[in-house]
Amino acid sequence: MKKLLIFDAYGTLLSTGKGSLEATKKILALQEKEIDPTIFYKDWKKYHRKHLDEANASKFILEKEIFAKDLEALYEQYQINRPHEKDVEIMLESLIGRVVFPEVAEAIRELCKKYRVVIGSTTDTEPLLVNLKNNGLEVDAVYTSEMIQKYKPAQMFYQYILQEEACRDEDAVFIGDSLIDDVEGPQSVGITAVLVDRDSKYSKTSGVCPDYVVKCIDDIIRLNL
């Protein structure tokens, strides 16, 4: 039987909803030119992934600094002449106020009776702790990129948690909604991976094969881990 469950936070336990897109719309409302917020946000996510990978490869920087780098690059791409340092605060403020999915609180309470339950999230520490507190969600421990000084899917991210928890890789399960960060990354260090596929988007043709696929956190209670 497995001993340790490691949960991703955003998109897995906490709904991101349309908060980031709405923040993007607010930022673009400040601009003089008309820009499609959906396309702008897609570009933002591409820059964010690029800058996370760069931080893993060289010097670690906080995610709030990465958000600023993202917006700086976007303003250059879209030829926007505004101080990105000020405008990025709109996006950073949107990270607070995330709400857990309806089934999460009770499911986590049940899982905590059987396993040690922790969170491993690509995020700065403070926003996550605020969101957990606001939702009354309690787990045994919280690990963030700020604490680990690495972002998923760097192997060190998962290895750090295993080391801190004194847990063997074969005794751990990682649960999340990202094929790369929450399935491929954990599996690369020997951790069983569960994909939370709320919208039934997973396809085996992706080339990434989760050990389990579930629709919601409730389903994990019924898995034979």
Side-chain angles (χ1 to χ4, degrees):
M1 186 180 110
K2 302 294 186 181
K3 298 177 180 178
L4 176 69
L5 303 187
I6 310 167
F7 280 90
D8 168 58
Y10 297 105
T12 301
L13 300 178
L14 292 153
S15 173
T16 56
K18 295 183 179 180
S20 296
L21 181 57
E22 290 304 313
T24 300
K25 290 179 180 178
K26 290 180 182 179
I27 290 170
L28 292 179
L30 301 172
Q31 318 307 329
E32 294 179 355
K33 59 174 71 177
E34 185 130 351
I35 299 170
D36 186 323
T38 303
I39 295 174
F40 190 88
Y41 181 56
K42 284 182 180 179
D43 287 340
W44 194 323
K45 289 197 290 186
K46 291 176 184 177
Y47 277 118
H48 200 68
R49 181 72 262 171
K50 174 177 179 286
H51 292 147
L52 289 173
D53 292 341
E54 288 175 355
N56 276 338
S58 55
K59 183 181 177 182
F60 180 85
I61 60 174
L62 294 175
E63 193 178 30
K64 66 180 181 181
E65 297 174 78
I66 288 179
F67 274 112
K69 284 186 67 175
D70 301 340
L71 195 58
E72 181 180 21
L74 284 162
Y75 276 17
E76 182 176 346
Q77 175 183 333
Y78 284 85
Q79 298 180 320
I80 296 171
N81 186 25
R82 278 188 58 85
H84 72 276
E85 300 92 343
K86 181 179 179 180
D87 292 353
V88 76
E89 292 298 325
I90 297 172
M91 179 62 78
L92 296 177
E93 288 169 5
S94 77
L95 303 179
I96 303 296
R98 307 296 194 187
V99 178
V100 292
F101 289 101
E103 83 284 1
V104 164
E106 182 58 33
I108 292 296
R109 278 194 290 270
E110 286 300 310
L111 290 168
C112 282
K113 296 175 182 178
K114 189 176 180 180
Y115 307 96
R116 181 164 172 83
V117 176
V118 306
I119 288 176
S121 178
T122 285
T123 185
D124 296 340
T125 303
E126 184 180 1
L128 177 56
L129 292 182
V130 169
N131 280 314
L132 294 178
K133 181 179 179 181
N134 289 346
N135 283 276
L137 190 63
E138 296 183 3
V139 293
D140 294 307
V142 173
Y143 299 97
T144 67
S145 291
E146 181 177 357
M147 297 165 61
I148 300 170
Q149 298 285 286
K150 285 290 182 182
Y151 293 105
K152 293 185 284 185
Q155 289 188 340
M156 180 181 163
F157 182 95
Y158 317 101
Q159 292 167 339
Y160 178 98
I161 297 174
L162 291 176
Q163 182 176 336
E164 289 297 306
E165 292 292 323
C167 181
R168 299 180 303 174
D169 52 15
E170 61 263 38
D171 291 330
V173 180
F174 205 100
I175 301 136
D177 66 318
S178 165
L179 282 173
I180 302 302
D181 289 355
D182 305 323
V183 175
E184 196 170 63
Q187 286 179 337
S188 74
V189 298
I191 298 175
T192 297
V194 178
L195 177 69
V196 180
D197 185 25
R198 293 181 182 274
D199 298 321
S200 301
K201 292 182 178 180
Y202 171 65
S203 170
K204 292 182 179 180
T205 60
S206 66
V208 181
C209 299
D211 296 288
Y212 302 91
V213 179
V214 299
K215 289 284 290 180
C216 63
I217 306 303
D218 274 348
D219 293 340
I220 297 166
I221 299 172
R222 292 179 283 275
L223 290 181
N224 184 24
L225 297 173

